[in-house]
Amino acid sequence: MQSIGNAFRKLKSGRLVYLDVPCGFDGYHTDKTVVYYFGSLQKDEQYARLLAAQERCLELEQEVVSMMVPGEPIENLYLRPMEKFDNVYGDAFMNGGKFLGHSIGLVMDEAPAIAKGFKQPLEPGMTFAVEPKIALPGLGLVGTENTYVVTEKGARSLTGRSHALREIE
C-alpha cells in the first residue's frame, strides 16, 4: 500500500499533501504533521471518507492530550482511547493500532511510547509526539501530530494546534 510519497507521482487535484515537519532547537526535537487536500473536497467522491478519518484522528489526539497529567501511567494514554475506538481501518490505522505516539527530546523517537506496556507515570517535563494517523488505500495518509510537554497542569503544545482537513489550490 502506497501511502507516503512517490517520486514519480505528480501533484494534481484530488491528492492529499502530507507534511511531516520535524524541528530542532538547541539539541531538542519536535515533530508535527499536517495534511492538506489539493483541490476541492466537495468534488471528490471520497470526501466523507477523508473527512471522517481526519476527524477521528483529531479526536484521538485530544483524548490522549486530555489525559496527559502528572502521575497518569503512560500506557493509559493508549489503553483508554483504544477501548472506545472502533478500528474499521485495520492495519491502516497506526500500523494496526499498536501505538498513538512516542517520547521525543534529544532523539526523535524515544521510549517510552504511548502504547501498551509502558507503565511509568507521567512526570512534568516529559515530552511526547501524539500522532494518530490513518493510511487510506489509493488516497494517502490523513492524521495529525503535535509535540506536547507535560506540565503540572496538564499538556502544553509546543507545535501549535491541529486542524481539520483543509483544501489548498
Side-chain angles (χ1 to χ4, degrees), residues 28-155:
Y28 290 89
H29 297 275
T30 63
D31 208 358
K32 180 173 183 74
T33 299
V34 292
V35 181
Y36 298 96
Y37 183 87
F38 189 67
S40 174
L41 278 165
Q42 277 75 22
K43 294 178 183 174
D44 192 317
E45 59 192 45
Q46 299 291 334
Y47 173 72
R49 188 169 169 223
L50 288 167
L51 292 180
Q54 178 71 8
E55 187 61 33
R56 189 59 188 121
C57 290
L58 293 168
E59 290 168 0
L60 278 169
E61 179 185 7
Q62 289 311 304
E63 281 183 69
V64 171
V65 171
S66 72
M67 295 187 302
M68 292 177 73
V69 295
E72 186 71 42
I74 294 168
E75 75 174 350
N76 285 356
L77 305 179
Y78 169 81
L79 293 173
R80 286 189 193 144
M82 293 308 293
E83 284 174 359
K84 301 181 277 183
F85 183 64
D86 179 16
N87 187 6
V88 298
Y89 303 101
D91 285 344
F93 170 71
M94 296 299 294
N95 196 22
K98 294 180 175 74
F99 71 105
L100 291 173
H102 56 86
S103 295
I104 187 168
L106 294 172
V107 176
M108 182 62 73
D109 290 301
E110 296 180 345
I114 300 175
K116 185 176 181 178
F118 292 94
K119 299 183 184 307
Q120 176 183 358
L122 289 172
E123 298 175 25
M126 291 178 132
T127 309
F128 293 87
V130 180
E131 60 170 326
K133 296 176 184 150
I134 299 169
L136 298 169
L139 297 173
L141 195 63
V142 295
T144 182
E145 181 175 23
N146 281 295
T147 302
Y148 295 89
V149 62
V150 178
T151 73
E152 290 292 343
K153 297 179 181 181

